[in-house]
Amino acid sequence: MSSPLLNELIEALRCLPGVGAKTAQRMAFHVLERDRAGAKKLAKKLVAAVDRIGNCTRCRTFSEDRICITCANTQRDTSLLCVVETPVDQLAVEQATGYRGHYFVLLGRLSPLDGMGPKELGIDLLATRLGEGEVRELILATNPTVEGEATAHLLGQIARAAGVRATRLAHGVPLGGELEFIDRGTLAHAFGGRQNIEH
Amino acid sequence: MSSPLLNELIEALRCLPGVGAKTAQRMAFHVLERDRAGAKKLAKKLVAAVDRIGNCTRCRTFSEDRICITCANTQRDTSLLCVVETPVDQLAVEQATGYRGHYFVLLGRLSPLDGMGPKELGIDLLATRLGEGEVRELILATNPTVEGEATAHLLGQIARAAGVRATRLAHGVPLGGELEFIDRGTLAHAFGGRQNIEH
């Protein structure tokens, strides 16, 4: 390329997920040709977010304040606590469901080989929270992967120790899925967990 | 979302081409979770590129200097001048071919409805350049679209007026293409422009 600065910008854009050499090139040329103001704004927001967003001291989700907006919201049901692996999972639950309780974000899943143990997942913080006595149901919304299930198992034990009811998201056939193409494990779960239909 | 700053970052990321709400979300969470240093660097490079990259005064491509690296390169053949629509087209030619001549970047194509006339395309600058007498072949590498062809037609007239030979990229069957799936126009061009094979 005829401009070293442009090369550096293309290289820097590759820190974004799913952005390879070709896409980074297209992005760099696009902002230079058509949206320099947008690029400036993006730079500003990147710096602000990286410098100021930390984790909520109560639920561990991303927050620029000590206590995040969700935790600080007094309209939400304090008897429900939903445990998710990451802030993006929290966002998915929040956007898809009508859930109005609180969250606890593990920022990972049990994975000893990656150095993710109970301490890294803030399990002590969660146990303290359950010990406060306000939570009546702990909803385990970790992913249905091997690590996610192991994490849910551990959390179930902690809930039991604290005398709190633990529930797990239902496994089954996804909406719009066709039985023919669904993996065996999911289909077996859906079959085993069949429910009465109401009239 | 529980963080206004995060929302603003997600919104700002959408200035990038091909980045919708969902991708922007994924990018924002990714950099916050895993690559804060990369995000800082990206912000710095965005500002540097937007503030300092202008256009080369000789060929109009992106450059942070008055004369770009390609124009300043004395190793290149000054008798060849390749006209492209955008800097990214220049990059494509540079990466795909062994071309070692110079470039002229129109920064657009003839499109009166969008306010792109000869003046906006720097045609006067190009005519001056041809008038200098060094260029012997003007390679018209505008895109094979209606506007691109119209632009090439105009440039051909200017070359003729300056007594410079004008050539156009060959149209034909793309490598790896199958005749069955190639559009009629391209196939007709390829058929009409068939060439002797050498033994």
Side-chain angles (χ1 to χ4, degrees):
Chain A
M1 233 354 261
S2 48
S3 160
L5 272 180
L6 185 52
N7 282 340
E8 289 170 25
L9 172 58
I10 292 171
E11 197 44 53
L13 278 163
R14 298 187 57 181
C15 79
L16 299 173
V19 175
K22 204 81 189 177
T23 308
Q25 217 178 70
R26 197 161 61 91
M27 288 175 165
F29 280 107
H30 175 92
V31 298
L32 283 175
E33 276 171 24
R34 312 213 185 140
D35 198 2
R36 292 190 178 220
K40 279 263 201 160
K41 193 173 164 197
L42 172 56
K44 217 174 92 186
K45 297 301 175 190
L46 275 170
V47 170
V50 167
D51 283 347
R52 290 171 46 202
I53 295 182
N55 296 95
C56 170
T57 53
R58 193 160 167 77
C59 75
R60 313 211 327 154
T61 196
F62 287 139
S63 171
E64 59 258 43
D65 301 314
R66 227 172 59 81
I67 300 288
C68 76
I69 290 175
T70 313
C71 285
N73 185 345
T74 54
Q75 304 294 307
R76 300 187 79 113
D77 188 344
T78 53
S79 71
L80 298 174
L81 189 62
C82 175
V83 185
V84 291
E85 292 182 13
T86 61
V88 74
D89 291 339
Q90 174 189 359
L91 183 60
V93 171
E94 190 71 8
Q95 287 179 340
T97 72
Y99 178 70
R100 299 295 292 161
H102 285 272
Y103 292 93
F104 187 85
V105 182
L106 299 170
L107 299 176
R109 61 207 68 100
L110 266 192
S111 179
L113 287 180
D114 301 324
M116 297 300 283
K119 189 158 159 284
E120 286 71 25
L121 303 179
I123 301 292
D124 47 346
L125 191 64
L126 178 64
T128 310
R129 177 96 167 250
L130 295 181
E132 288 170 6
E134 249 188 321
V135 177
R136 285 210 319 276
E137 180 180 349
L138 188 70
I139 302 166
L140 305 176
T142 53
N143 290 318
T145 57
V146 175
E147 288 99 343
E149 294 292 352
T151 311
H153 184 74
L154 171 69
L155 296 173
Q157 290 176 326
I158 287 160
R160 195 157 43 240
V164 172
R165 177 182 166 219
T167 55
R168 182 99 177 93
L169 294 195
H171 290 324
V173 180
L175 257 66
E178 297 195 42
L179 294 196
E180 183 183 352
F181 301 115
I182 286 164
D183 68 289
R184 288 185 193 186
T186 303
L187 194 51
H189 258 294
F191 206 82
R194 64 191 179 277
Q195 302 185 347
N196 291 323
I197 50 174
E198 324 228 330
H199 291 288
Chain B
M1 234 351 261
S2 48
S3 159
L5 272 181
L6 185 51
N7 282 339
E8 289 170 25
L9 172 58
I10 292 171
E11 198 43 52
L13 278 164
R14 298 188 58 181
C15 79
L16 299 173
V19 175
K22 205 81 187 175
T23 308
Q25 218 177 67
R26 196 161 61 92
M27 287 175 165
F29 280 106
H30 174 91
V31 297
L32 284 174
E33 277 171 23
R34 311 211 187 140
D35 198 2
R36 290 189 180 221
K40 279 264 203 160
K41 191 172 165 199
L42 172 56
K44 218 174 92 187
K45 296 301 176 191
L46 276 170
V47 171
V50 167
D51 283 348
R52 290 171 45 202
I53 295 181
N55 296 95
C56 170
T57 52
R58 191 157 168 78
C59 76
R60 312 210 329 153
T61 196
F62 287 139
S63 171
E64 59 256 43
D65 302 314
R66 226 173 60 81
I67 300 289
C68 75
I69 290 175
T70 312
C71 285
N73 186 345
T74 54
Q75 303 295 308
R76 299 187 77 115
D77 188 345
T78 53
S79 72
L80 298 174
L81 188 63
C82 175
V83 185
V84 291
E85 292 182 11
T86 61
V88 75
D89 291 339
Q90 176 188 358
L91 184 60
V93 172
E94 190 70 8
Q95 287 178 340
T97 71
Y99 179 68
R100 299 295 293 161
H102 285 272
Y103 292 92
F104 187 85
V105 182
L106 299 170
L107 298 177
R109 61 208 67 100
L110 267 192
S111 179
L113 287 180
D114 302 323
M116 296 302 283
K119 190 158 156 284
E120 285 71 27
L121 301 180
I123 301 293
D124 46 347
L125 190 64
L126 178 64
T128 312
R129 176 95 168 251
L130 294 181
E132 288 169 7
E134 248 189 319
V135 177
R136 286 210 319 277
E137 180 181 350
L138 187 70
I139 303 166
L140 305 176
T142 53
N143 290 317
T145 57
V146 174
E147 288 99 343
E149 294 292 353
T151 311
H153 184 74
L154 171 69
L155 296 174
Q157 291 177 325
I158 287 160
R160 193 155 47 239
V164 173
R165 177 184 166 219
T167 56
R168 181 98 176 95
L169 294 195
H171 290 323
V173 181
L175 257 65
E178 298 196 42
L179 295 196
E180 182 183 353
F181 300 114
I182 285 164
D183 68 288
R184 287 183 192 189
T186 302
L187 193 52
H189 258 295
F191 205 83
R194 64 190 178 278
Q195 302 186 346
N196 291 324
I197 49 175
E198 323 230 329
H199 291 286

